[in-house]
Amino acid sequence: MRIAVCGGPYGNPYALRAFVDDARACGAERLYCLGDIGGFGAEVDALWPILTGNDIICVAGNYDVAIARGDTDCGCGYRDPKDNEFAQIVYDHTLATTDRAFAAWMGDLPTERRETIDGVDVHMVHGSTLALNDFWWESLPEEQHRQRVAASGADVILCTHSGLPWQRRTGDTLTVNVGVLGKPANDGQRNVWYALLDLDDGHATAELVPLAYDWQAQAASMRAAGLPEVFVETIETGWWTTCLEILPPHERARGRYHLYRSTLPTGFRPAADGWGPDPGPGLDGDRPVVPLFGSPYFPSRLWLYTNFHCNLACDYCAVASSPKATPRTLPADRFRALVDEAVKAGFTELYVTGGEPFLHPGIVELLDHASAQLPTVVMTNAMLLRGRRADGLADLAGRKLTVQTSLDGATPHTHDLHRGTGSWQRTMDGIRHLIDLGLPPRVALTETPENTHEIPAVAALLAELGLPGDHFAVRPLLRRGFADTGAEIGEDSSVPELTVTADGLHWHPAGADLATSPDLHLAPAGTPLEQGKQLVTERFFTARLADGSLPRPVHCAI
């Protein structure tokens, strides 16, 4: 026998009618609904004749139980105040507009249903086998899936509530979250989902079915009812704009929006870095939700490591660069492709670093390509800016290109202590050369116990060269690579900055050396940047949700 099972009509009669028509056309002999008849949409009463007129067998969801009893809230199981605030708006509308006879009908529905169909023991629940409003997410650990399956023992378990469709086998049990009809599955598609199950002689298979329906009519009905535009936007775009905090990291990362704007604390600012006024969150619009990417917690800044070998062997290099380091050079065609991909992926800044980028044989051509498309910063020790490799650098003056170098002391002794004898003088010569080329550099000082007292003198020295005050910054020493002291940095304590090397994608430029920072490696070479953004987002929330806090930024450049 073939059956069709839907979840959460959510006051969407247009999708419910489409479900009936599509399921019948697909040969379904029985139709089931797993509850949450009201919620999100505006036309709850319009669902009753569709349900009863088509013999749709229903179980009650938490929404239906709450409406029948006249509860003060939906009992949805949200924990975040903002999630509950949005849920309350729709619940109040549903409670006020649902016919009490329909509400009484909901109150007579069972909260689960179990029957044997063609030799298959089928258990139908709303949330899970543990609770009416339990969110049975696909990403739950295996032991939690097994716990829910063991509480039933059925051959097939059908659930909904979370709104996201999936199926999997746990032992001999097939579990299917059938999705919901009331809103899209946070995937950028306007269709909704239901499940078709074929049950035959003790065997069961399931298909998750995308369902097209008149979403324009649903959006119009919600506007006519005065529901907030933020709800209507989900219907029109396929992306969730409310009730985000309940989503686990994996499910949240797949959506377009990840944070409530209100969770960006007004007091939050990137760590003081000396590069001028704080730009703030940089998030346009008044939508209550924002993507993680492009917020202060995941800047739209891409780092590209051209190579890892260097003419210096600084004893605190976070990525273990030196003349003896394996070059791991990024091929020129790969570099250009990454820049083009970065533009399409929404990155707004590019940082080119190493090793020493001016050891890359085509560095000027690469900077030419990059700065023609994005504001670009190249990080260099400023010692290799003459000769063949630097030919044409002066032609890039006036472009969207900034050169940044490092000066770790006002005197040769202090600077050379960590960077090597003679390096201070060569760096100063490089800074003067850049000024002469029309590329006045930004200068960063890595603070150590030996140079803290010289920071004002370094600022004064650079000012004497004509560099503006906002071209000087102090950055922390990080305990990575060669450094055995300094600030700790990890994905649970730092804001991510997606970084690409010949070895793949990394969480942060200070952890871009695969050998010394394997914990910050995200994905192998060739992984698309869009996938990298999703991986970063998922790992960000995994770290955040461990204790509820938000990481702080650790700046390598700005």
Side-chain angles (χ1 to χ4, degrees):
M1 176 180 289
R2 170 166 283 190
I3 66 172
V5 187
C6 73
Y10 291 170
N12 187 337
Y14 311 98
L16 186 60
R17 291 192 195 101
F19 162 70
V20 171
D21 293 342
D22 196 69
R24 294 296 190 204
C26 290
E29 299 174 55
R30 297 183 195 171
L31 307 183
Y32 295 86
C33 174
L34 301 183
D36 275 4
I37 294 167
F40 207 78
E43 300 181 60
V44 182
D45 281 351
L47 300 173
W48 197 8
I50 303 173
L51 293 168
T52 57
N54 292 281
D55 298 321
I56 300 176
I57 303 166
C58 298
V59 300
N62 55 276
Y63 224 93
D64 314 316
V65 171
I67 291 294
R69 295 189 308 214
D71 291 349
T72 57
D73 62 66
C74 64
C76 295
Y78 298 128
R79 298 182 297 273
D80 179 75
K82 201 69 177 177
D83 280 357
N84 280 312
E85 177 184 328
F86 283 114
Q88 195 66 43
I89 293 170
V90 177
Y91 181 76
D92 290 344
H93 169 83
T94 305
L95 185 62
T97 59
T98 301
D99 184 277
R100 291 317 298 170
F102 187 21
W105 180 87
M106 294 181 200
D108 289 335
L109 296 174
T111 55
E112 61 182 321
R113 184 180 181 88
R114 192 158 186 168
E115 59 182 286
T116 299
I117 305 174
D118 279 1
V120 179
D121 180 10
V122 181
H123 192 179
M124 302 181 193
V125 297
H126 176 70
S128 81
T129 55
L130 300 182
L132 185 63
N133 63 357
D134 181 36
F135 290 91
W136 197 341
W137 304 108
E138 184 179 15
S139 66
L140 289 178
E142 179 66 24
E143 63 269 19
Q144 293 195 32
H145 283 285
R146 291 191 177 278
Q147 179 188 21
R148 287 160 176 77
V149 167
S152 167
D155 300 319
V156 174
I157 304 172
L158 304 175
C159 63
T160 179
H161 190 55
S162 75
L164 300 177
W166 53 268
Q167 62 171 308
R168 59 170 282 156
R169 288 194 178 272
T170 304
D172 295 328
T173 297
L174 173 64
T175 302
V176 184
N177 190 311
V178 303
V180 295
L181 297 179
K183 66 177 182 179
N186 198 25
D187 56 4
Q189 304 297 316
R190 298 184 184 98
N191 56 256
V192 293
W193 294 82
Y194 75 95
L196 285 170
L197 282 92
D198 290 305
L199 310 169
D200 180 35
D201 193 25
H203 299 286
T205 59
E207 176 189 358
L208 292 166
V209 181
L211 178 67
Y213 76 102
D214 190 352
W215 57 268
Q216 295 96 331
Q218 173 69 351
S221 76
M222 293 169 68
R223 282 198 177 96
L227 290 174
E229 278 295 309
V230 67
F231 297 120
V232 182
E233 182 178 346
T234 292
I235 298 297
E236 294 182 328
T237 67
W239 297 112
W240 288 10
T241 52
T242 59
C243 300
L244 296 177
E245 287 289 348
I246 195 62
L247 289 168
H250 179 72
E251 284 80 3
R252 196 184 306 200
R254 295 187 330 214
R256 172 177 287 179
Y257 305 110
H258 311 110
L259 286 168
Y260 287 119
R261 189 180 295 270
S262 58
T263 64
L264 301 176
T266 55
F268 176 91
R269 289 293 182 271
D273 50 35
W275 290 131
D278 169 30
L283 301 167
D284 297 328
D286 57 2
R287 186 184 292 107
V289 289
V290 298
L292 181 68
F293 180 70
S295 79
Y297 300 117
F298 184 7
S300 54
R301 175 187 309 133
L302 181 67
W303 291 76
L304 297 181
Y305 270 75
T306 55
N307 59 291
F308 278 87
H309 58 314
C310 186
N311 55 307
L312 296 179
C314 304
D315 62 10
Y316 53 56
C317 180
V319 292
S321 289
S322 75
K324 296 181 180 180
T326 304
R328 288 164 283 166
T329 301
L330 203 61
D333 57 350
R334 176 63 178 148
F335 180 98
R336 286 190 287 268
L338 281 165
V339 173
D340 299 341
E341 188 182 352
V343 173
K344 294 178 182 177
F347 287 89
T348 59
E349 296 177 280
L350 186 69
Y351 277 73
V352 179
T353 189
E356 170 50 53
F358 280 86
L359 287 175
H360 193 292
I363 185 60
V364 173
E365 290 79 4
L366 300 185
L367 295 176
D368 181 22
H369 180 78
S371 62
Q373 300 190 63
L374 287 172
T376 301
V377 178
V378 58
M379 318 268 287
T380 174
N381 56 39
M383 298 181 187
L384 303 176
L385 302 181
R386 292 177 172 84
R388 176 177 52 82
R389 283 194 179 92
D391 282 350
L393 183 61
D395 297 335
L396 302 184
R399 297 279 291 277
K400 294 180 291 187
L401 177 67
T402 300
V403 180
Q404 179 173 315
T405 191
S406 299
L407 189 67
D408 286 350
T411 62
H413 171 76
T414 307
H415 177 94
D416 294 357
L417 186 64
H418 294 286
R419 293 184 176 269
T421 302
S423 60
W424 184 88
Q425 187 60 57
R426 294 175 67 192
T427 298
M428 290 297 298
D429 292 344
I431 290 173
R432 292 186 179 96
H433 180 59
L434 286 167
I435 294 171
D436 291 342
L437 293 180
L439 288 164
R442 297 193 315 202
V443 180
L445 176 147
T446 300
E447 186 173 6
T448 66
E450 295 83 10
N451 67 12
T452 297
H453 67 285
E454 288 191 10
I455 291 174
V458 173
L461 177 62
L462 296 174
E464 290 175 7
L465 295 176
L467 294 180
D470 62 0
H471 274 224
F472 175 56
V474 177
R475 62 189 179 190
L477 175 65
L478 300 177
R479 189 172 178 270
R480 286 274 165 174
F482 288 150
D484 55 11
T485 61
E488 298 288 345
I489 177 174
E491 64 183 55
D492 60 346
S493 61
S494 65
V495 164
E497 298 196 32
L498 190 61
T499 302
V500 185
T501 73
D503 295 318
L505 305 184
H506 308 258
W507 176 265
H508 194 278
D513 177 49
L514 183 58
T516 57
S517 296
D519 56 313
L520 296 185
H521 185 248
L522 291 171
T527 303
L529 296 181
E530 283 291 354
Q531 185 177 343
K533 288 163 59 178
Q534 185 170 321
L535 289 169
V536 165
T537 301
E538 180 173 347
R539 288 175 71 159
F540 175 93
F541 283 108
T542 299
R544 173 196 167 185
L545 295 177
D547 65 0
S549 64
L550 286 165
R552 301 292 297 178
V554 174
H555 292 283
C556 284
I558 69 164

